[in-house]
Structures are given as structure tokens and as C-alpha cells.
């Protein structure tokens, strides 16, 4: 959800509104489980979900996506896209609904501070030890576009490898860099279908018709969507 706020170029009041924000296809592996020390519990293949960390084929894999498939003949199965924790190799695995799968717990999330980008990686500082950590940008997913100097990031890891990250404050302000004209009443809500708007960081969202270029909106951000 977002709420409109009057930007530097706007001279009119903007009421608080509910905004439907466009989904972005970019995703990141942010595990559901945030406590543990690499221990595993057994679950059914049909219960595996996106962001799980599973142990199979003598390795640890992060589940990027899942899709239930019901073929014309034979039983239904779960098709999972997996990324290796070590090396980043990806593969597709077909899981029977009732087969046993090892779900792995990961370490408790620890607080870090964002320092700077370094190519396709980000450099963070451990708030407790002040040691630096390099992490692939895609672990942050969409959140990377909203990073600012000194932003706090909670990082989860397994066997020392970062597998998930979330902004400590996932409600951020962003300026609308470009959007279409107001074609409807300023009292319009998301029921009017909205219109696309490009934020200053290049992310495209959907806003009510009365939101204009230069307005500031509050955006809720996760790794998978804005």
C-alpha cells in the first residue's frame, strides 16, 4: 500500500489513498524459516514452498519458485525451480506430492548496514562486529532499488552463505519521476484502475489517477514485490 503526499512540485493537497502497486517479476530467495542451525525436518514434497531451503542430492538448495502440475495421466506433482546454495547452479526438480523432503532451518537474521555497491554485489557492515560482508545483489531482489546510504538490512545465512535479506524499514518514500496526466477526479481511488508511474529509481508502480509527477508516495517493499 502507498499513500500520496504532496511533492515539491505539487501545490494541491493530496488525500491519503490506497494504491495497488504493480508486481515486478524479479524475485529473490528469501527463506521463510529464520531460525535454526542447519538442522532439517521432513516435509511432504507437496508442501515445499518458495523461499524454503531444502537438502537433496547431497546439497542445499533454495527454492526459487514452485508450480503444481496435474498431467492428463498419472498423479499430480510439484515442479520446483532450485538454486544451489554453493555455486548458484539452478535446476528444475519434479517432486511427488507425498515424497519426503528435508526442510532446512537457517540462522537467525542479523542486522547489517548498507555501505556501497560493488559490481553485482553489495557490501554491508555487521552492526555487531563491524566486519564487512559481500552479498549478491539478487538476494535483495527488488529491495536493492530502494537502498540508501546507511540503510539497515537484516540478513539470514546458512553455513556462512547469505540466503535472504530484508530491509529493516520496508516502508520507504519515493518520488514519482514520470506519470500520465490526471484524467479523472482528484477523489478517484484505486477502483478507477489507476495508471502506471515510474519512480525516481526506475521502478514502475500503479497509482491512482490523481497522483502526479513530482508527488512523493510511501511504498512498501519486499524482495518479491513493491
Amino acid at each position: 500500500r502507498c499513500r500520496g503526499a504532496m511533492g515539491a512540485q505539487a501545490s494541491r493537497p493530496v488525500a491519503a489513498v490506497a494504491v495497488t502497486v504493480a508486481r515486478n517479476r524479479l524475485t529473490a530467495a528469501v527463506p521463510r524459516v529464520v531460525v535454526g542451525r542447519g538442522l532439517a525436518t521432513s516435509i511432504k514434497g507437496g508442501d515445499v514452498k518458495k523461499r524454503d531451503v531444502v537438502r537433496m542430492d547431497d546439497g542445499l538448495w533454495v527454492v526459487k519458485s514452485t508450480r503444481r502440475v496435474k498431467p492428463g495421466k498419472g498423479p499430480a506433482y510439484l515442479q520446483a525451480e532450485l538454486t544451489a546454495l554453493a555455486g548458484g547452479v539452478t535446476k528444475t526438480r519434479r517432486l511427488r506430492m507425498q515424497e519426503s523432503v528435508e526442510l532446512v532451518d537457517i540462522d537467525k537474521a542479523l542486522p547489517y548496514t548498507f555501505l556501497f555497491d560493488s559490481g553485482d554485489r553489495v557490501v554491508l557492515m555487521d552492526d555487531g562486529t563491524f566486519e564487512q560482508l559481500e552479498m549478491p545483489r539478487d538476494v535483495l531482489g527488488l529491495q536493492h532499488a530502494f537502498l540508501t546510504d546507511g540503510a539497515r538490512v537484516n540478513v539470514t545465512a546458512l553455513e556462512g552463505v547469505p540466503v535472504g535479506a530484508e530491509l529493516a524499514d520496508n516502508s520507504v518514500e519515493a518520488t514519482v519521476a514520470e506519470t500520465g496526466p490526471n484524467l479523472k477526479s482528484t477523489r478517484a481511488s484505486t477502483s478507477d484502475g489507476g495508471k502506471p508511474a515510474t519512480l525516481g529509481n526506475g521502478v514502475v508502480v500503479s497509482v491512482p489517477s490523481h497522483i502526479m509527477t513530482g508527488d512523493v508516495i510511501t511504498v512498501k517493499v519486499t524482495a518479491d514485490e513493491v
Side-chain angles (χ1 to χ4, degrees):
R1 291 178 178 273
C2 308
R3 59 178 177 81
M6 185 167 63
Q9 301 177 21
S11 59
R12 54 192 166 67
V14 179
V17 293
V19 179
T20 300
V21 184
R23 287 177 177 268
N24 188 302
R25 294 181 180 178
L26 179 63
T27 60
V30 181
R32 293 184 298 142
V33 185
V34 294
V35 294
R37 296 293 176 182
L39 302 178
T41 56
S42 180
I43 63 172
K44 295 179 180 179
D47 293 332
V48 171
K49 293 180 173 57
K50 180 179 178 180
R51 306 185 188 101
D52 282 345
V53 176
V54 297
R55 190 192 310 276
M56 59 177 59
D57 302 333
D58 297 323
L60 296 174
W61 300 80
V62 179
V63 180
K64 300 283 286 186
S65 65
T66 62
R67 181 169 63 92
R68 292 179 181 270
V69 179
K70 182 62 175 77
K73 294 183 179 180
Y77 61 88
L78 190 80
Q79 183 163 301
E81 297 290 334
L82 309 172
T83 299
L85 185 64
V89 176
T90 60
K91 70 176 181 179
T92 300
R93 179 69 177 265
R94 182 180 297 186
L95 302 174
R96 299 187 304 276
M97 291 298 184
Q98 299 300 318
E99 75 172 277
S100 179
V101 176
E102 286 188 90
L103 176 67
V104 180
D105 289 346
I106 64 175
D107 296 338
K108 182 179 180 179
L110 296 176
Y112 284 78
T113 298
F114 170 67
L115 297 180
F116 55 87
D117 281 320
S118 178
D120 61 352
R121 306 177 74 82
V122 295
V123 179
L124 309 171
M125 181 182 69
D126 187 312
D127 288 353
T129 65
F130 304 109
E131 295 180 352
Q132 291 188 5
L133 169 72
E134 285 195 15
M135 181 176 70
R137 288 171 54 173
D138 61 4
V139 175
L140 283 159
L142 288 176
Q143 299 171 115
H144 179 266
F146 295 88
L147 278 180
T148 56
D149 290 342
R152 306 293 294 277
V153 181
N154 295 324
V155 178
T156 51
L158 181 61
E159 298 183 356
V161 179
V163 292
E166 295 181 349
L167 294 179
D169 183 1
N170 63 357
S171 293
V172 298
E173 288 191 343
T175 301
V176 177
E178 182 180 359
T179 191
N182 181 4
L183 301 178
K184 298 189 178 184
S185 166
T186 57
R187 298 180 63 85
S189 67
T190 52
S191 62
D192 66 11
K195 61 181 180 180
T198 302
L199 304 180
N201 56 14
V203 175
V204 178
V205 299
S206 178
V207 298
S209 296
H210 71 269
I211 297 295
M212 302 298 291
T213 297
D215 283 353
V216 176
I217 60 175
T218 299
V219 185
K220 185 174 182 179
V221 186
T222 69
D224 297 327
E225 62 182 326
V226 179

